[in-house]
Amino acid sequence: MRKLIYLVAATLDGFIAASAGSDPSGTVFELEGDHASSLLDEYPETIPFHVRPMIGMGDVEPRHFDTVLEGRASYEIGRSQGVSDAYPHLRHLVFSSTLDATPAESIELVTSDAIAHVRALKAEQGRDIWLCGGGSLAASLRTEIDEIHLKLHPVVLGTGIPLLAPPTTPEVDRFRLRSAQPFQSGVSLMIYERR
């Protein structure tokens, strides 16, 4: 069975972006440093298609994922920059209760029952599934997240979009640390798996 992996960058205080609709790349999270090339090598499929040729990764095969899941707000960040499908090299699903359609025919729009949809995806053959963001979608799929690959940056925001939107009822999900890879830049890749 395929795993749902929440691969995301976060601050020390648990935020994935400064505010709704803001792109944290390069503003909150450092794109340069010894962590950058290592993370590119480990997760080449997470690089948007329009950036891949610029950094010599146009034909690099996926290592972990063949499917990417995004919430509407995360999807709209790329769309606001003129990118209707940042991941045409992956099966791309956008989860939204407000969108009627997406401008890219290649994107699958999921408008209801996210958990049932993800369970069906996990039962299919293939590589693992990348939960790209954001915090609301991650919170709605919390019980289905098998692993969290956390790119932890030495930054404190104080406020912003949380790693997981706060639940309406208290829940406890326990994970164990499988590996930790610190970099000289201060960034660490922390991999947690569900206990």
Side-chain angles (χ1 to χ4, degrees):
M1 181 175 271
R2 303 200 293 170
K3 292 181 285 188
L4 179 62
I5 297 176
Y6 189 20
L7 168 63
V8 66
T11 65
L12 292 175
D13 53 348
F15 297 105
I16 61 174
S19 61
S22 66
D23 185 353
S25 300
T27 56
V28 174
F29 303 121
E30 294 289 331
L31 299 178
E32 296 180 7
D34 63 324
H35 66 281
S37 61
S38 181
L39 294 173
L40 287 176
D41 289 344
E42 185 63 30
Y43 303 102
E45 60 269 57
T46 65
I47 305 304
F49 87 97
H50 61 287
V51 176
R52 295 168 71 84
M54 291 185 265
I55 59 174
M57 298 186 75
D59 296 329
V60 176
E61 290 293 318
R63 293 197 60 206
H64 299 278
F65 312 113
D66 61 13
T67 303
V68 58
L69 313 182
E70 286 189 287
R72 182 201 49 79
S74 294
Y75 171 68
E76 292 290 350
I77 292 171
R79 192 170 161 195
S80 70
Q81 298 170 4
V83 180
S84 61
D85 184 356
Y87 306 106
H89 53 286
L90 301 174
R91 182 177 175 189
H92 191 171
L93 292 86
V94 172
F95 291 72
S96 174
S97 59
T98 58
L99 289 176
D100 295 326
T102 63
E105 291 183 18
S106 56
I107 293 178
E108 298 173 45
L109 182 61
V110 180
T111 58
S112 64
D113 206 347
I115 289 179
H117 206 89
V118 166
R119 286 178 178 162
L121 287 172
K122 289 169 83 172
E124 294 174 0
Q125 293 294 315
R127 296 180 188 267
D128 288 331
I129 302 160
W130 171 32
L131 173 54
C132 176
S136 293
L137 179 60
S140 72
L141 295 173
R142 182 174 162 172
T143 59
E144 294 303 311
I145 296 173
D146 299 295
E147 295 182 5
I148 299 173
H149 294 204
L150 189 63
K151 298 176 286 184
L152 190 61
H153 287 250
V155 175
V156 175
L157 279 178
T159 187
I161 305 299
L163 183 69
L164 293 158
T168 54
T169 57
E171 298 176 41
V172 175
D173 291 306
R174 300 203 185 273
F175 289 80
R176 72 172 186 84
L177 181 64
R178 188 174 75 209
S179 66
Q181 182 179 4
F183 297 96
Q184 290 297 318
S185 64
V187 174
S188 293
L189 176 63
M190 314 293 288
I191 298 181
Y192 296 90
E193 57 189 19
R194 186 175 290 279
R195 286 195 345 205

